[in-house]
Amino acid sequence: MPYLTPTGTARRTGGAEQLGFGVPGYAHPLLAPTEWAELTRPGTPLHWAVLDIDNGPGIRPDPHGLEAAGRLRNARERALHGGAPQDSVRAAGGRLLGHLDLAFGSRAYGELIADAQSFLDWYRVDGFYLARCPAGRVDLPAVRRLTATLATLLDHGGRGRRGGRLVLAPGTHPHPGYAEVADQVVTFCGPWTDYRWSQVAEWTAAHPPERFAHFVHGVPRTHLDEAMRIARWQGAGTIFFTDRGGRYGQDGRRGQGRQHGQVHEHGHMGPFASLPGYWDEIVSRIGPGISE
């Protein structure tokens, strides 16, 4: 099968590990109140969710963003203190990440740090999601410098690397060195038609599943089991699958962005901006159950 390693070696995730959701970018909380409310629902196996006000934190604190951040933070606190026994995955994760757009390495370091500080000051985020991260070896030193500074900012915010989280999102397998400069790497972001025939890079076998995430759109309901099987075989611990389709660029318009496989498809009009049609079903399959 195409998604097995070329050597045929058994993967790390034979199905025993708990998958969880990473939400790469719901629409603005004002436009997607149902989506953000679902993230606080007991029993939702949430690893993390990304807050993106306006391709970043915006120019001032957004009241709807503040409310969504507060609700997610309160849900995690309840899980951590035993108030929601179904939420074991949320208690171990459940973080809110600020969206930082690296623009494939073209954004200035100072701009990114300023955005990160705004996310910390206004929304008290637990980490950062580095969208459109470059993947080549030549860009690795710059990304390493950035993530080291972000880790320091999180430390100064009282969270530390153990509590905070840094996620790189090149959307493809990057140079292996990228796995050493952040907590998690998004190694697939794209359509189901590509995912079902995808192959995992052999170097990923040296890392546990919690180091990798897969985001797939256009997954039919009838192929959910197959998609989760692929994620486990390829060693991804965090996923987001949706039946929503379309190919969108960073500005939300069809057909924009870089070549397929490197476009991070999570704009406000993109396929990951709203709930999948089978949300309850995939929550029940991955999580400990749905609280009605």
Side-chain angles (χ1 to χ4, degrees):
M1 301 178 76
Y3 49 81
L4 300 182
T5 56
T7 61
T9 303
R11 298 296 294 161
R12 306 174 294 288
T13 53
E17 287 84 358
Q18 174 79 56
L19 289 174
F21 293 124
V23 180
Y26 278 154
H28 187 284
L30 176 63
L31 303 177
T34 299
E35 282 75 5
W36 284 95
E38 281 294 315
L39 293 183
T40 65
R41 188 179 182 180
T44 301
L46 179 68
H47 286 170
W48 47 262
V50 177
L51 180 66
D52 182 5
I53 299 301
D54 184 16
N55 201 30
I59 59 174
R60 62 180 63 87
D62 180 274
H64 302 285
L66 291 170
E67 182 180 8
R71 288 180 175 178
L72 201 62
R73 187 162 51 248
N74 290 339
R76 185 173 187 237
E77 285 298 314
R78 289 194 298 271
L80 284 169
H81 294 95
Q86 287 181 303
D87 276 350
S88 58
V89 176
R90 185 195 306 276
R95 296 174 176 87
L96 182 69
L97 308 183
H99 169 98
L100 300 178
D101 180 10
L102 271 61
F104 301 105
S106 66
R107 287 217 41 214
Y109 170 84
E111 291 180 4
L112 292 165
I113 297 303
D115 279 357
Q117 191 63 63
S118 294
F119 268 121
L120 288 169
D121 292 344
W122 300 342
Y123 306 106
R124 296 171 57 193
V125 297
D126 305 297
F128 299 102
Y129 180 85
L130 280 60
R132 298 202 297 170
C133 180
R137 183 173 184 173
V138 66
D139 294 301
L140 181 56
V143 175
R144 181 184 290 113
R145 177 193 180 204
L146 176 63
T147 57
T149 304
L150 294 176
T152 299
L153 289 178
L154 289 167
D155 265 335
H156 288 170
R159 295 163 181 83
R161 281 302 297 274
R162 289 181 182 238
R165 193 156 191 83
L166 298 176
V167 179
L168 305 181
T172 188
H173 287 96
H175 182 276
Y178 283 82
E180 307 299 334
V181 302
D183 299 293
Q184 194 171 57
V185 181
V186 179
T187 54
F188 186 93
C189 182
W192 166 245
T193 50
D194 287 352
Y195 188 61
R196 68 185 310 188
W197 305 113
S198 63
Q199 293 187 359
V200 64
E202 291 191 64
W203 63 262
T204 64
H207 302 279
E210 60 264 24
R211 302 299 300 278
F212 302 105
H214 291 172
F215 301 137
V216 190
H217 62 77
V219 181
R221 182 189 300 268
T222 53
H223 289 278
L224 272 178
D225 284 339
E226 182 183 357
M228 285 189 280
R229 208 160 45 238
I230 294 172
R232 289 188 172 102
W233 273 110
Q234 293 198 1
T238 300
I239 62 169
F240 193 86
F241 298 153
T242 181
D243 51 352
R244 311 298 182 191
R247 190 183 296 275
Y248 295 82
Q250 188 65 25
D251 60 2
R253 294 180 294 181
R254 288 184 183 271
Q256 302 298 312
R258 295 202 175 187
Q259 67 183 54
H260 172 66
Q262 293 229 334
V263 177
H264 188 71
E265 306 183 53
H266 75 286
H268 290 313
M269 296 175 62
F272 301 118
S274 60
L275 288 174
Y278 41 64
W279 174 251
D280 281 357
E281 181 176 348
I282 194 170
V283 168
S284 67
R285 291 192 188 196
I286 296 176
I290 298 177
S291 174
E292 295 295 341

